[in-house]
Amino acid sequence: MENKKILLILCGVLFFFCNWLIPVTDPTENCYALTAKEMLEAGDYFSPRIYGNFWYDKPIFFYWEILLAYGIFGVNEFALRFFPAVFATAGVFLTYFFASKMFNKKIGFTAAVILATAPEYWYVAHAIITDMTLFCTISIALMTFFFAYTENKPRLLYVAFAAAGVAILTKGPIGFLLPGLIIFLFLISQRDLKYLLRGEIFKGAILMLAIISIWYLPMYLIHGQQFLTDFLGVHNFLRATVSEHPQYDVWYYYAVVFVIGFFPWLLAVVKIKKLPALDTRQRFLIIWAATVFIVFQSFATKYPTYTLPYMMPVAILFAGFFVEREKLFGRIAAAMVVFFTIGTFAALNICERNSHKATAEIILPLVDKNTCVVSYGQGYAGSLVFYSGLTVYRLEETEKIAKLKPANMKWSTTNVMPFMDFKELPAGKVIAVVENKSVQKFLELATGNWQIVAELPEYKIFSGG
């Protein structure tokens, strides 16, 4: 069977299978799902909003993807996971094309399969987050630069800058700064920084600025300084300098992510005894992968998906080892396809435990227009708002609310959900969704009579008033 057909079937099985069954999870996926839903309901396709407030966490492009999918498939799980799967498929074919043109089709096919069956890539292909779109746009920017440089086709630089522009519309300045740094370091290694003085570079930069001005300029004109403070200040500068989750800010974080993300391919590659002499192609791939790793390791805030952009060059480098070991390659690839197909059902259970889809189905018949719904415990039940369409208050003690309320240039800026003090609990009917670990404290702080109406693996649902 032709390589492209095999890859298409592989991507269909790995990235699209059961997507309609995977519920929206907390604490991250719900933000994208709910933001796009509120934009759709408001008829505003420009200013992201959540819980009724404008929301400057990420730029617009991924929300546009979701809104388009909502328009095609309706507001549901398949729509939300459709474009991550589409871009994951595109990333596999980009890898095949890039490695085939850089080396040969055998390495291209091997690299594409390695990428598609890497655990980190498989996870992000299903996740309702921006990273897979960023992966493709940054990859296109770097691929087209490489061919522009090595094949003396300077017009390809316009494609590189356009892709960087879309990357900036997807996740912010990192969409240009990361590929820009990689290109800069590569040109240093080539002793060819004068390449940056080409006219196409200047024109490409203007094209990129024109693309990003489609959204950034109007957002500033509409929302002013608050947009700059929240988006550039909190979600970019603060993310790089102050850890949102300090427990993960350790020197070995992405080393662990790398080992898990490329398991078991990495275990086979470590058998290499002698490294080959590097040519321009391999040097570019190594600089690409190493720069991504070092940049994000230096960031204070760390997430396992941040380093996704290094997966294409690493997969291509790994392919050079496996292309001469066809039986080993075939056995690992087959094992990973079986593992992920079976693992999808295990993932369903994990996602269900981290989602309030079932909670929404339970409480909707219990509420009327006078019912107050609150949640208490670690985190906030954002997916409950998505599935129920209800206003859900974050129940907290007085002193904690003061610390959690949004403040400029602090991570609390992200706490835009509605709060309620225990003292403000209404006398009428109340439905409370309480994390199991917090049940005892909830019953101590919440006055009145409370009855358990349902028990879920991670939560109990109380009725009071």
Side-chain angles (χ1 to χ4, degrees):
M1 188 182 295
E2 186 183 348
N3 286 345
K4 293 178 183 178
K5 291 182 180 178
I6 294 173
L7 291 177
L8 190 61
I9 294 171
L10 183 67
C11 291
V13 172
L14 290 179
F15 306 149
F16 289 88
F17 179 61
C18 283
N19 277 1
W20 56 91
L21 298 177
I22 306 174
V24 175
T25 64
D26 295 313
T28 304
E29 290 188 334
N30 73 80
C31 294
Y32 296 106
L34 186 57
T35 297
K37 184 182 179 184
E38 291 195 21
M39 291 174 71
L40 181 66
E41 291 171 346
D44 182 351
Y45 305 109
F46 212 78
S47 298
R49 60 185 70 205
I50 192 169
Y51 311 123
N53 302 294
F54 290 118
W55 174 244
Y56 309 121
D57 180 39
K58 293 292 185 294
I60 196 63
F61 196 78
F62 187 62
Y63 297 122
W64 281 344
E65 291 175 24
I66 297 175
L67 287 165
L68 177 58
Y70 279 169
I72 298 171
F73 304 109
V75 181
N76 55 54
E77 291 89 348
F78 184 79
L80 286 162
R81 302 189 190 280
F82 178 73
F83 276 105
V86 167
F87 276 92
T89 302
V92 169
F93 278 89
L94 286 171
T95 302
Y96 174 72
F97 167 77
F98 186 44
S100 295
K101 191 170 176 60
M102 185 181 261
F103 296 100
N104 56 63
K105 287 187 177 181
K106 194 170 183 180
I107 287 182
F109 178 74
T110 304
V113 173
I114 291 172
L115 181 68
T117 55
E120 182 179 357
Y121 197 81
W122 178 85
Y123 163 69
V124 182
H126 295 81
I128 309 168
I129 53 178
T130 59
D131 296 84
M132 194 56 80
T133 303
L134 185 71
F135 170 86
C136 285
T137 50
I138 284 180
S139 296
I140 291 171
L142 291 168
M143 290 165 53
T144 49
F145 160 78
F146 182 79
F147 292 136
Y149 180 80
T150 58
E151 298 183 1
N152 194 26
K153 296 179 178 178
R155 288 182 179 274
L156 286 176
L157 292 172
Y158 299 138
V159 180
F161 275 100
V166 178
I168 296 171
L169 286 175
T170 300
K171 205 156 187 173
I174 196 69
F176 167 73
L177 295 177
L178 184 60
L181 178 59
I182 292 167
I183 290 168
F184 180 74
L185 294 175
F186 172 71
L187 290 175
I188 288 178
S189 76
Q190 295 291 107
R191 297 180 176 84
D192 194 14
L193 283 178
K194 65 180 182 296
Y195 189 84
L196 295 174
L197 300 177
R198 296 190 65 100
E200 291 85 0
I201 296 286
F202 177 73
K203 294 174 184 176
I206 293 176
L207 173 62
M208 181 182 71
L209 290 173
I211 290 172
I212 66 175
S213 67
I214 293 171
W215 184 73
Y216 283 90
L217 180 59
M219 280 294 287
Y220 174 68
L221 295 176
I222 295 169
H223 301 285
Q225 185 61 39
Q226 193 62 48
F227 167 67
L228 295 181
T229 300
D230 285 1
F231 178 73
L232 294 177
V234 174
H235 295 290
N236 286 273
F237 177 77
L238 196 66
R239 191 175 298 277
T241 57
V242 179
S243 180
E244 186 177 3
H245 307 287
Q247 68 272 28
Y248 300 132
D249 188 15
V250 292
W251 65 267
Y252 54 83
Y253 183 86
Y254 286 115
V256 174
V257 170
F258 180 71
V259 171
I260 297 173
F262 270 105
F263 181 86
W265 298 105
L266 179 62
L267 297 182
V269 173
V270 295
K271 295 180 180 179
I272 295 177
K273 297 290 192 298
K274 184 180 179 181
L275 293 174
L278 301 180
D279 59 18
T280 301
R281 300 167 298 179
Q282 293 156 332
R283 188 183 304 117
F284 181 70
L285 294 172
I286 290 172
I287 291 172
W288 177 347
T291 302
V292 173
F293 184 94
I294 293 169
V295 164
F296 286 110
Q297 182 59 47
S298 68
F299 277 22
T301 298
K302 294 177 172 63
Y303 285 104
T305 60
Y306 277 0
T307 50
L308 189 72
Y310 68 25
M311 296 198 76
M312 179 186 289
V314 171
I316 296 172
L317 291 167
F318 280 9
F321 171 84
F322 283 103
V323 75
E324 298 176 357
R325 297 163 176 82
E326 292 184 4
K327 289 184 178 180
L328 177 62
F329 166 73
R331 286 197 296 266
I332 294 177
M336 294 306 289
V337 171
V338 172
F339 173 77
F340 287 133
T341 302
I342 298 173
T344 299
F345 296 100
L348 285 174
N349 181 260
I350 294 172
C351 290
E352 286 169 358
R353 294 177 70 93
N354 288 279
S355 175
H356 281 284
K357 182 177 183 178
T359 309
E361 293 171 352
I362 292 169
I363 71 172
L364 277 174
L366 304 177
V367 302
D368 56 36
K369 63 180 181 180
N370 298 315
T371 304
C372 176
V373 181
V374 300
S375 72
Y376 181 66
Q378 187 175 359
Y380 175 71
S383 61
L384 177 58
V385 181
F386 172 78
Y387 281 112
S388 69
L390 300 170
T391 298
V392 180
Y393 294 90
R394 178 172 177 173
L395 192 61
E396 294 289 352
E397 299 164 70
T398 306
E399 59 274 16
K400 285 188 177 181
I401 290 178
K403 295 178 181 179
L404 290 169
K405 280 294 184 71
N408 285 340
M409 289 305 295
K410 292 184 178 180
W411 279 116
S412 61
T413 300
T414 61
N415 296 330
V416 295
M417 69 286 292
F419 282 84
M420 179 175 288
D421 195 313
F422 273 93
K423 299 174 184 177
E424 297 173 333
L425 280 169
K429 186 177 181 180
V430 179
I431 296 293
V433 179
V434 184
E435 184 186 32
N436 287 338
K437 297 177 182 178
S438 305
V439 166
Q440 184 175 349
K441 192 166 187 180
F442 168 78
L443 293 174
E444 292 173 0
L445 295 172
T447 58
N449 296 317
W450 298 91
Q451 294 181 334
I452 296 177
V453 296
E455 296 189 45
L456 296 167
E458 305 294 330
Y459 294 86
K460 288 182 174 61
I461 301 173
F462 290 88
S463 177

